[in-house]
Amino acid sequence: MKKLWLAGIIAALLSIFASCDNENSSIGLGLTDQVGTDFTDTVSVTAYSMLEDTISTMNMSANLIGNIHDPVFGDCTATTYAQFDLAGASVNFGESPVVDSVVLTLQLASYYGDTNSHVGIRVYRLTDQMWFDNYNSLSTVPYDPTPLNYSLTGYTIAPTTDVVVDTGNCSPHIRIRLSQAFGQYLLNHQSEMTSNSSFKNFFKGLRISAVSHTGSTGYMLLTSMTSSLSGITLYYHNSTSPTTKYVFPCNNECKRFTNFAHNYSASSDADFIHSVLEGNHDGGTQKIYVQATGGVKTKITFPHLKDAFKSIDNRVVINRAELVIKDISPDEAYLIHPGSLTLQGIKADSSLAYLPDDSYLTSTDHFGGQYDPVKHEYRFRITQYVQNIIHGQGDLTNSIYLVINGAAVRANRLIAGGTGLDNENRLRLELSYTTY
């Protein structure tokens, strides 16, 4: 009887602590009066969305190129900067080489947006070396402003249709014809192509950008720059041979990165403008936002998590802790939800670190973050992280960032329910725990 009486006192005290809340939060921690395994989904949570600073885009598995409009997140333009190499140790174009044509090819790995749109893609020659090893989403490299394109037309894509090249079919890719003058420029500098280093010193690389689109949405191309289908193909003939070709590849030895330019003033969504652009944190009670391309992230905090168990000297075992994010994005025709999200731990000095439950340290099956198309939600298992916060262990704070997984090579976004909703769309932390 004494133990049951004590348990009741503990539960009552915890309820008092839980009821103390601040703005942006859901209601407090609701513990039952039973000693054993309990469940609550009313842990205090605050959240607000903000613009991302920068993300690393250096030498990723793919590069984005395109221009897309989102009625909520505004406009985004992706520009890729890339070096190219020689196909062999040296080059021999023969006597008096003459250009027939030159084509930039980009293999398509995926796409976002409306493939019926025409997007104006422009290609420029870099005028400075890519010196650094840490280019990010805001980095640029100087370039000659005169486009290298043969014609300034828009490009449509057929992301599931093979392309006939020479005498055979190739996987889906985009072909951008470049000017005859550029092709002849390459042929006339054969002496600069005795090695990859001398070639890169002569030809610094390309800037591949999008300048406009038709239709209401546009598109983003996810390109595999290091694929054997990507590169600069130079068709030429000389005094002794008919037309032949030489390919300058963008291989793994070539530096490449993507720059993202956002125009959030093109947003027509009042809630997004109020919450993200004007920095009103109360917006997180209704909606939160995340966007790839170095766009938007959400900061989530558990302000009373440690204090809720303080009255029992933190004598609690977290059996399972799951963060639940519900997709409430409008049903846009071309702007799909992310396949997966991820979380970033925040240290006291504001630096980022893995959560102890992260898939990098455990597994994807354990950590979660994948989209559930039936429940329209994402779930993260953060049991160890929550246990550490309660017991004051580890070097992470009680705040985390919610971001899109692979944000440097994705162009999608998510609108999720905030912390103050009174329905199943509420952003929440579900706890199964035992007190002792």
Side-chain angles (χ1 to χ4, degrees), residues 209-283:
S209 186
V211 295
S212 62
H213 68 260
T214 63
S216 60
T217 304
Y219 61 70
M220 287 279 190
L221 304 180
L222 185 61
T223 63
S224 297
M225 293 296 298
T226 58
S227 163
S228 59
L229 269 178
S230 298
I232 302 170
T233 302
L234 180 60
Y235 296 90
Y236 69 97
H237 64 274
N238 57 37
S239 58
T240 59
S241 301
T243 296
T244 186
K245 68 178 182 179
Y246 185 89
V247 179
F248 299 93
C250 177
N251 56 38
N252 288 323
E253 302 302 315
C254 296
K255 294 180 180 179
R256 59 202 180 279
F257 71 92
T258 303
N259 168 280
F260 298 117
H262 293 275
N263 176 20
Y264 291 111
S265 65
S267 170
S268 57
D269 187 275
D271 292 336
F272 178 82
I273 294 170
H274 172 82
S275 178
V276 179
L277 302 188
E278 296 177 353
N280 293 291
H281 293 177
D282 61 342

Side-chain angles (χ1 to χ4, degrees), residues 121-132:
I121 299 177
R122 300 291 181 264
V123 182
Y124 304 91
R125 182 174 59 86
L126 300 184
T127 57
D128 201 0
Q129 291 276 17
M130 293 174 60
W131 299 108
F132 308 113

Side-chain angles (χ1 to χ4, degrees), residues 347-365:
K347 294 184 178 181
D349 62 1
S350 299
S351 62
L352 303 180
Y354 289 111
L355 270 64
D357 312 270
D358 192 280
S359 58
Y360 180 78
L361 302 173
T362 58
S363 68
T364 299
D365 288 341

Side-chain angles (χ1 to χ4, degrees), residues 102-104 123 148-150 176-180 182 206 232:
V102 57
V103 180
L104 172 66
V123 182
L148 296 178
N149 300 64
Y150 184 82
I176 303 172
R177 186 175 178 183
L178 304 181
S179 71
Q180 299 293 95
F182 174 65
L206 294 179
I232 302 170

Side-chain angles (χ1 to χ4, degrees), residues 50-53 55 262 264 276 290-297 407:
M50 68 184 80
L51 299 180
E52 182 69 89
D53 295 324
I55 60 173
H262 293 275
Y264 291 111
V276 179
V290 286
Q291 181 191 26
T293 62
V296 178
K297 62 185 177 183

